[in-house]
Amino acid sequence: MQLLTTRRVKRDMQVNRSLPDIKRQQNRRMASLHRQLSQLLGVWRWKRMVEVRPALHPAAGFQCTTFCSTTASEPEPIEIHKRKLFLWFSHLPQEEKQFGGYFSPETMHVDPLILERKAEESAGLVSSPLQTQTPSSPSVSVEQLFEPTEAWSEGRGLNVLLYGAVGTGKSTVVRKLVLDWCAGTTLSHFKLLIPFSCEDLSQLSKVSSLRDLVSRKYLHLRKHPLLSGEGNQAKDVLFLFNGMEKMKLDFRIGATELCSDPNEPLPPGVVVVNLLRKYLLPEASIVVTTRLSALDRIPQKYVSRYAQICGFNDPDRQRAYFTSRLLQQSGETARNHEAQTLIELLYINLQRESQLAAACFLPSYCWLTCATLHFLHFTDTKAPIRTLTGIYTSFLRLNFGGEVLGKGTGTSVPSQELHSSLMLYVVRTLGKLAFDGVTYKRRSFSEKELEQWIGGKTKTDEELRQLAVFRTDVLDFFLAPCVETDKHLPEEASENDERRYVFAVPAMQEYLAALYVVLGENKSALEKLTRQVSVAIGQASEDVNALVTILSKFIPLRIFAVFNLLKLFPKLYMKISSSNKGSIARTMAAEMFRTEDSYNEDVLDQVEQSLLGVQGPQPQQYTEGQSFELYPIFMGGLLHYGNRVLLQQLGCSIQSNTVVQITRALRKYLVRELSKPQPPEELMDLLVLLYEFQNPRLTAEVLASIRSIRLSNIRMTSLKCFVLSSVLSCAPARYHLQELDLSSCLLTHDMLQLLWPAFRHTHNLNLQFNSLGPESCILLRDLLLDPKSSIRSLQLCDNPLLESGALTLLEALPENQSLAHLSLMHTGLGDQGALELAQRLQNHPLQELNVAYNNIGDNAALALVDACREHPSIHTVHLYLNPLSDVGKQSLYVRGGPKSRSGRRVRVLASVTEGSDLSEDWHPILSVIRENASSWDRERVKQQLKVFLRDLEWGRQQQQSLWKRLHFRRVEKGVRQTLRMLEKDALPPSTGYSK
């Protein structure tokens, strides 16, 4: 019995001991099951992405079958790696998002030309990327670069060096390579692709092993077997090092130890060197991208294949890029049609071997061209606020963001100590050259001038090294050989026929010159010396004042007050500095309103012509030399906070107090210039300046001095309408223009919608001689009904409103209480429209009505005049150039008279005569006909003029007074002269007579 009890106790103890083991086993099973479910879920999500992505991006050529067949055999970390890489490299920079999210890497990518080079070709000086020439080397794709070479040996990976100048498309090629590998369409024989940014690696101060470097950026690849170095697993790995010029690599054996262990901690540069030497993971392949100046940093014996990225070497590649960019709009048919027209004009201009074609050899300038055209033609209220200055600043940030020139590259020493901003170096060299060209009105420069302005004062070895890097990598990005004949060249330059250089894009010269001035780099020697002395004395005065304060407590001598004189010098410097900022504002205003540029086309049209060329006759140029009208606009745009933030990232700092001083002085100079009459083109340029400035307070202060804006004959676009509305929206609600003249501006219904905010700040609105149809009358009706609107005069002469549009517009009359003058001359009103107008005139404060040249007959005209006579405020009705009979005209004059002696008379302008007498208004009638006859039906106007002659001849015969007969003959002479000019087609173009 005791034995049995003992056995039971032992069995219970064994059961109790096994319970934790059972629980652990269950936990393991649950963890295993959870891990399997997670793997299945990850595979399902990946398959789902593979199935959905071709429908979303059919242009990417995504192959679903590749991953569906290989996912089961590949480890999970690689699938995670592909998904994360795809998300990271699909991310668009902020510069792309400003276009409204229309672009994606798949739809806008065009492969640049890639040429395989021999080692001796890459070692020598390469030609300028802007010199278009037939390539001697074969064109290759990225995948062909990893085909085995003659020198390739089994068990060793390939080292491919991709190099190119700034802006040729290296970063774009890298992004496309990574995305295609994730999609399985390129380099699919590599199971693992590991991209590294050499800029990131150069900032690492701690030693790390290769596997630590990988896991630091890609945690999911930590301890992956392909990176273990065992066997030949690394043959399925491809490393990508982007931007090798930003690392300091030393291949000397004495300076860099050899290492074959991927787990051994080493400096990042040593790890990269051992990878390239094939000591570390020799089976792995490597892609390195770099600029021209860093080609010799990797010895030739460690490079299996050289390839040069040459950009877009022919107009067809450029056209493909423009098509992928400009046609990726919101899908609207009208916009796509406009984009297609832009592409055709661009292609024609590129085929002319113009300066633009030389610049667009670089994909970066293709980006700038597309961004500028997108800004000019597809600006709307839905898109983010963009400025021309912002586009150029973003362009430089894309190509030179954060780059420096100086020794110590790749070290841990702070860049502020050893490095100087590359962009600031550009400003101090090329900016100075650009400023000299703007000052003396020159766009081309000789080689001697380049040598003088760029590196002419270098002395130290470090300065020479910086200059060599700058010449190799950057100079050809901004300057290109002149391919167009420059008629403004100096005589001596034309005689010598020496090679000359221009800025790749003309506007870039004005941008760099403006940046050079705004940064204060054009200071005189006295100003620079004054600043240095001020800083030194200011620092010394602080120490002296502290010492004097202590001593004065023990020795209260008044002699110590002499040291307060040290404080005067910094104040003197502040006055000199403030005067310098005032001179910048004075320069902006002077360049803005140069008399010789007054009648050139507005600055936005000039920008468009520089890109698309001029189709048809060349526009008349009133300036003898070159015009630089973008220069002051860029100076204003650079003071905008958003651009200053981007420039700060480029190492070019514009202080807030500088902006305040320039703005304060600029307001004074602009108000002074606006007190003088300005042509429409100059007013449009002023609006663009205020828009680029993006300073509501300054804009409101300048607008306070403007009472009218006359933009007649300006070719308005959606952008110009947006600029006008944006500027006027900065004014307070109580501000109103006396007149906004938009006659003969080619306005459309869509433009009217953009102009709605501007109309709210207007009393007299002139929309004559545009293309406004019946649908535009709906918007104008709503404008008249808007309680915030105070339109007093609305002129719609020569717009095809038709009867339906006029009836829609008249719906606003019963409720509107501000309109006093309404001009519907030559709008297709007709009899029905005139009768409807007569019924709606009651209780409306209208004073003058113009319905001339509207095919109105006798009955409708009589009904309208009767209604005007009953109206309490209408005093004038225009009815000339309508098919009225002689009896009808006589009745109109009788009806226009007062009912009683004390009653009110309505002036009826129906002809140059009133019965047998001359009309008091014959001169305004003839003036209107002369001004507008060039845009009217010639035969109908001739017929009306002959009717006038018949009336004048009959009236002259009825006169007994010799004086009155002579007066009739003088009017007849004016009518006959107008008729002869009309028959000879010698009338001046329409200027939009305001009546």
Side-chain angles (χ1 to χ4, degrees):
M1 190 70 180
Q2 186 178 1
L3 180 61
L4 181 60
T5 303
T6 304
R7 288 180 178 176
R8 286 179 180 175
V9 172
K10 289 183 178 179
R11 185 172 66 244
D12 293 340
M13 293 177 61
Q14 291 175 358
V15 170
N16 293 334
R17 290 175 181 172
S18 63
L19 283 176
D21 297 335
I22 294 173
K23 290 182 179 181
R24 281 195 294 269
Q25 291 176 2
Q26 290 177 349
N27 291 337
R28 290 195 191 100
R29 292 194 188 100
M30 291 297 295
S32 176
L33 180 61
H34 180 70
R35 186 164 54 253
Q36 292 175 4
L37 290 175
S38 299
Q39 293 176 358
L40 291 174
L41 181 61
V43 171
W44 178 84
R45 286 177 178 171
W46 177 250
K47 289 183 177 180
R48 181 62 179 165
M49 187 184 72
V50 171
E51 293 170 358
V52 172
R53 189 171 181 269
L56 296 176
H57 308 288
F62 196 88
Q63 300 295 330
C64 175
T65 56
T66 303
F67 288 109
C68 291
S69 60
T70 60
T71 300
S73 61
E74 289 181 346
E76 179 191 359
I78 292 183
E79 300 303 328
I80 298 175
H81 183 63
K82 288 182 177 179
R83 290 200 299 271
K84 291 191 174 183
L85 278 186
F86 178 80
L87 291 175
W88 290 337
F89 281 83
S90 297
H91 176 74
L92 293 176
Q94 188 64 35
E95 287 76 10
E96 299 288 2
K97 293 180 181 178
Q98 64 181 330
F99 299 106
Y102 296 128
F103 303 134
S104 63
E106 295 88 351
T107 57
M108 67 186 181
H109 180 79
V110 177
D111 291 322
L113 178 67
I114 302 177
L115 300 178
E116 184 174 2
R117 298 293 192 185
K118 297 179 181 178
E120 55 271 15
E121 292 177 337
S122 62
L125 292 176
V126 293
S127 60
S128 169
L130 296 177
Q131 298 176 1
T132 57
Q133 56 186 2
T134 304
S136 57
S137 304
S139 173
V140 295
S141 64
V142 175
E143 194 160 11
Q144 290 174 337
L145 293 175
F146 289 91
E147 295 177 354
T149 62
E150 297 178 357
W152 178 78
S153 58
E154 187 69 29
R156 292 176 66 87
L158 295 175
N159 290 350
V160 176
L161 181 58
L162 276 172
Y163 65 93
V166 178
T168 51
K170 298 185 297 298
S171 299
T172 305
V173 169
V174 168
R175 178 188 302 169
K176 188 65 166 53
L177 169 64
V178 174
L179 291 176
D180 286 349
W181 177 81
C182 293
T185 58
T186 298
L187 302 177
S188 56
H189 57 282
F190 289 110
K191 294 181 180 180
L192 186 59
L193 171 63
I194 304 178
F196 280 107
S197 168
C198 292
E199 184 177 7
D200 292 342
L201 294 178
S202 66
Q203 300 301 320
L204 297 179
S205 57
K206 296 181 180 180
V207 294
S208 301
S209 65
L210 174 62
R211 303 192 73 171
D212 288 340
L213 286 177
V214 173
S215 62
R216 184 188 185 97
K217 189 170 185 180
Y218 308 105
L219 183 61
H220 46 274
L221 296 180
R222 188 173 187 177
K223 298 182 179 180
H224 197 280
L226 291 179
L227 301 174
S228 64
E230 298 176 0
N232 61 349
Q233 296 185 84
K235 65 181 178 58
D236 296 326
V237 179
L238 174 62
F239 288 98
L240 194 158
F241 295 100
N242 188 28
M244 184 60 72
E245 71 276 358
K246 298 176 183 178
M247 285 193 74
K248 185 178 181 180
L249 301 181
D250 194 343
F251 283 83
R252 295 174 300 173
I253 298 295
T256 305
E257 61 179 301
L258 302 180
C259 175
S260 61
D261 185 2
N263 298 305
E264 182 177 348
L266 294 169
V270 177
V271 173
V272 175
V273 167
N274 280 282
L275 282 172
L276 291 170
R277 282 173 170 169
K278 297 303 178 186
Y279 276 88
L280 183 60
L281 299 185
E283 302 86 3
S285 296
I286 302 173
V287 179
V288 176
T289 66
T290 187
R291 290 183 180 171
L292 303 176
S293 60
L295 274 177
D296 57 350
R297 294 191 184 180
I298 304 178
Q300 295 182 13
K301 61 181 179 179
Y302 298 129
V303 179
S304 309
R305 188 170 266 154
Y306 288 92
Q308 182 180 7
I309 302 177
C310 300
F312 300 150
N313 66 320
D314 59 83
D316 290 331
R317 288 180 189 264
Q318 297 165 0
R319 181 175 185 174
Y321 182 91
F322 295 139
T323 302
S324 67
R325 281 273 179 170
L326 295 176
L327 284 182
Q328 297 298 324
Q329 300 301 324
S330 58
E332 299 177 10
T333 305
R335 282 199 164 188
N336 278 338
H337 177 73
E338 183 179 0
Q340 191 64 49
T341 303
L342 291 178
I343 293 169
E344 293 299 327
L345 293 175
L346 264 176
Y347 187 64
I348 292 173
N349 196 25
L350 293 173
Q351 288 180 317
R352 294 173 180 165
E353 296 185 357
S354 61
Q355 200 66 49
L356 179 66
C360 286
F361 191 88
L362 294 176
S364 287
Y365 279 106
C366 291
W367 182 93
L368 180 61
T369 300
C370 287
T372 306
L373 288 176
H374 194 281
F375 169 71
L376 292 175
H377 288 270
F378 301 114
T379 295
D380 54 33
T381 55
K382 299 178 183 178
I385 295 294
R386 291 173 294 158
T387 62
L388 192 62
T389 313
I391 289 175
Y392 274 76
T393 306
S394 300
F395 170 73
L396 293 178
R397 181 180 176 274
L398 276 175
N399 289 279
F400 301 102
E403 295 198 29
V404 294
L405 273 177
K407 60 184 180 180
T409 304
T411 65
S412 60
V413 181
S415 60
Q416 293 83 353
E417 298 180 10
L418 295 179
H419 297 166
S420 61
S421 165
L422 175 59
M423 195 62 229
L424 190 58
Y425 192 90
V426 170
V427 172
R428 290 172 176 171
T429 53
L430 291 177
K432 192 173 183 179
L433 176 71
F435 176 73
D436 181 74
V438 170
T439 303
Y440 296 101
K441 308 304 175 188
R442 296 184 301 122
R443 289 200 181 274
S444 62
F445 309 91
S446 64
E447 293 183 352
K448 291 182 179 179
E449 290 170 330
L450 296 185
E451 188 66 30
Q452 174 187 355
W453 294 110
I454 302 173
K457 298 181 180 180
T458 54
K459 298 178 181 179
T460 65
D461 291 342
E462 182 60 27
E463 289 176 340
L464 291 174
R465 191 197 67 80
Q466 291 181 358
L467 178 61
V469 173
F470 177 78
R471 286 180 177 273
T472 305
D473 288 342
V474 182
L475 188 60
D476 286 334
F477 179 80
F478 288 101
L479 295 178
C482 183
V483 298
E484 296 178 348
T485 303
D486 192 348
K487 62 182 178 181
H488 302 293
L489 285 177
E491 293 182 2
E492 58 272 14
S494 302
E495 294 175 358
N496 297 335
D497 196 24
E498 61 180 350
R499 191 173 193 180
R500 302 189 69 84
Y501 295 85
V502 297
F503 282 85
V505 174
M508 185 59 72
Q509 177 182 353
E510 299 175 68
Y511 179 91
L512 290 178
L515 186 56
Y516 179 76
V517 172
V518 172
L519 287 176
E521 295 295 332
N522 63 327
K523 296 176 183 176
S524 63
L526 176 61
E527 291 172 338
K528 294 179 179 179
L529 178 62
T530 304
R531 180 180 182 181
Q532 294 173 358
V533 174
S534 173
V535 173
I537 292 181
Q539 293 174 351
S541 64
E542 293 178 1
D543 300 333
V544 172
N545 285 333
L547 180 61
V548 168
T549 302
I550 297 173
L551 294 177
S552 62
K553 295 183 181 299
F554 303 99
I555 310 176
L557 299 177
R558 295 184 178 273
I559 191 63
F560 290 112
V562 176
F563 291 98
N564 289 328
L565 294 174
L566 293 174
K567 298 180 180 179
L568 296 178
F569 200 89
K571 293 181 179 180
L572 177 63
Y573 166 71
M574 291 300 297
K575 289 185 178 181
I576 296 176
S577 176
S578 178
S579 175
N580 181 48
K581 304 303 184 297
S583 67
I584 294 177
R586 185 168 56 252
T587 300
M588 291 174 63
E591 292 290 333
M592 194 74 195
F593 299 103
R594 292 178 72 238
T595 305
E596 51 268 40
D597 295 338
S598 296
Y599 296 96
N600 291 341
E601 297 194 42
D602 66 86
V603 67
L604 293 179
D605 279 353
Q606 293 180 33
V607 172
E608 184 180 53
Q609 290 172 9
S610 68
L611 299 178
L612 301 180
V614 179
Q615 311 300 324
Q618 294 286 332
Q620 187 173 359
Q621 188 78 12
Y622 295 89
T623 308
E624 294 183 0
Q626 296 278 7
S627 62
F628 294 89
E629 297 186 60
L630 267 178
Y631 170 55
I633 292 176
F634 278 143
M635 291 174 70
L638 288 170
L639 300 179
H640 172 45
Y641 176 75
N643 290 323
R644 287 192 287 128
V645 170
L646 293 179
L647 289 171
Q648 182 71 36
Q649 298 174 11
L650 290 169
C652 301
S653 178
I654 302 176
Q655 301 299 326
S656 297
N657 59 346
T658 300
V659 178
V660 172
Q661 293 174 0
I662 295 177
T663 303
R664 187 183 298 118
L666 179 63
R667 182 191 62 80
K668 178 180 66 176
Y669 290 117
L670 288 180
V671 170
R672 181 185 302 173
E673 292 293 336
L674 288 172
S675 63
K676 312 170 188 175
Q678 299 294 340
E681 293 79 8
E682 292 296 299
L683 284 176
M684 190 69 242
D685 291 349
L686 172 66
L687 294 173
V688 175
L689 170 66
L690 296 176
Y691 174 78
E692 292 282 326
F693 212 119
Q694 291 288 307
N695 187 325
R697 182 176 179 179
L698 171 68
T699 302
E701 292 174 348
V702 173
L703 286 176
S705 63
I706 301 177
R707 307 313 305 165
S708 62
I709 296 179
R710 297 183 177 91
L711 299 177
S712 58
N713 295 305
I714 293 292
R715 185 183 66 90
M716 294 298 287
T717 61
S718 58
L719 172 61
K720 296 177 186 177
C721 294
F722 184 75
V723 167
L724 176 59
S725 292
S726 299
V727 170
L728 288 179
S729 296
C730 296
R734 65 180 182 275
Y735 171 80
H736 286 89
L737 290 169
Q738 289 299 323
E739 180 184 8
L740 176 58
D741 186 357
L742 296 174
S743 58
S744 303
C745 290
L746 303 178
L747 292 177
T748 62
H749 175 68
D750 294 335
M751 295 181 190
L752 282 189
Q753 294 178 331
L754 291 172
L755 288 168
W756 180 280
F759 293 160
R760 286 182 170 180
H761 291 277
T762 304
H763 285 320
N764 300 326
L765 180 58
N766 187 346
L767 297 176
Q768 298 183 127
F769 298 96
N770 287 295
S771 303
L772 306 179
E775 69 280 359
S776 301
C777 292
I778 300 175
L779 190 144
L780 293 174
R781 177 200 63 192
D782 296 340
L783 176 65
L784 293 176
L785 293 175
D786 187 356
K788 297 182 179 179
S789 173
S790 59
I791 300 292
R792 298 174 183 172
S793 174
L794 180 59
Q795 301 169 32
L796 296 171
C797 169
D798 272 82
N799 284 290
L801 304 181
L802 304 180
E803 181 180 317
S804 60
L807 294 179
T808 302
L809 181 65
L810 297 178
E811 294 175 2
L813 290 185
E815 299 182 25
N816 177 272
Q817 296 300 316
S818 63
L819 190 64
H821 300 270
L822 177 61
S823 174
L824 296 174
M825 182 172 64
H826 197 213
T827 56
L829 189 63
D831 286 343
Q832 186 62 35
L835 293 173
E836 186 71 22
L837 178 59
Q839 296 177 4
R840 296 177 182 268
L841 287 178
Q842 298 178 0
N843 301 323
H844 188 277
L846 202 62
Q847 298 178 11
E848 184 173 0
L849 180 63
N850 189 342
V851 290
Y853 198 3
N854 268 305
N855 201 27
I856 298 175
D858 290 350
N859 295 332
L862 289 171
L864 183 59
V865 171
D866 287 341
C868 293
R869 188 173 58 174
E870 298 293 335
H871 195 276
S873 58
I874 292 181
H875 56 72
T876 304
V877 181
H878 301 253
L879 282 167
Y880 44 86
L881 297 182
N882 282 304
L884 303 172
S885 63
D886 294 338
V887 176
K889 294 177 185 176
Q890 187 63 33
S891 300
L892 289 174
Y893 296 129
V894 174
R895 298 280 184 93
K899 292 184 177 180
S900 62
R901 292 185 178 181
S902 60
R904 190 176 56 84
R905 180 178 183 272
V906 177
R907 296 170 57 200
V908 180
L909 281 65
S911 178
V912 293
T913 61
E914 295 182 6
S916 59
D917 294 329
L918 276 175
S919 171
E920 296 177 358
D921 304 297
W922 68 267
H923 189 271
I925 293 175
L926 285 183
S927 298
V928 171
I929 293 175
R930 288 183 185 135
E931 292 287 341
N932 304 319
S934 60
S935 61
W936 288 346
D937 184 355
R938 299 294 181 91
E939 295 301 323
R940 185 169 179 178
V941 175
K942 289 179 185 178
Q943 182 181 357
Q944 289 295 323
L945 289 175
K946 291 176 181 178
V947 171
F948 286 171
L949 288 175
R950 186 190 63 192
D951 294 343
L952 288 169
E953 185 176 355
W954 181 83
R956 177 169 49 82
Q957 293 174 358
Q958 306 301 316
Q959 302 299 323
Q960 300 297 326
S961 171
L962 178 62
W963 177 255
K964 287 188 176 181
R965 287 185 178 183
L966 291 176
H967 195 27
F968 266 87
R969 286 194 178 277
R970 185 164 69 90
V971 178
E972 284 183 49
K973 181 179 179 182
V975 175
R976 294 183 188 278
Q977 182 180 7
T978 304
L979 186 60
R980 284 196 300 269
M981 294 175 66
L982 193 62
E983 291 174 346
K984 295 180 180 180
D985 198 16
L987 283 171
S990 172
T991 57
Y993 178 74
S994 299
K995 262 295 178 185

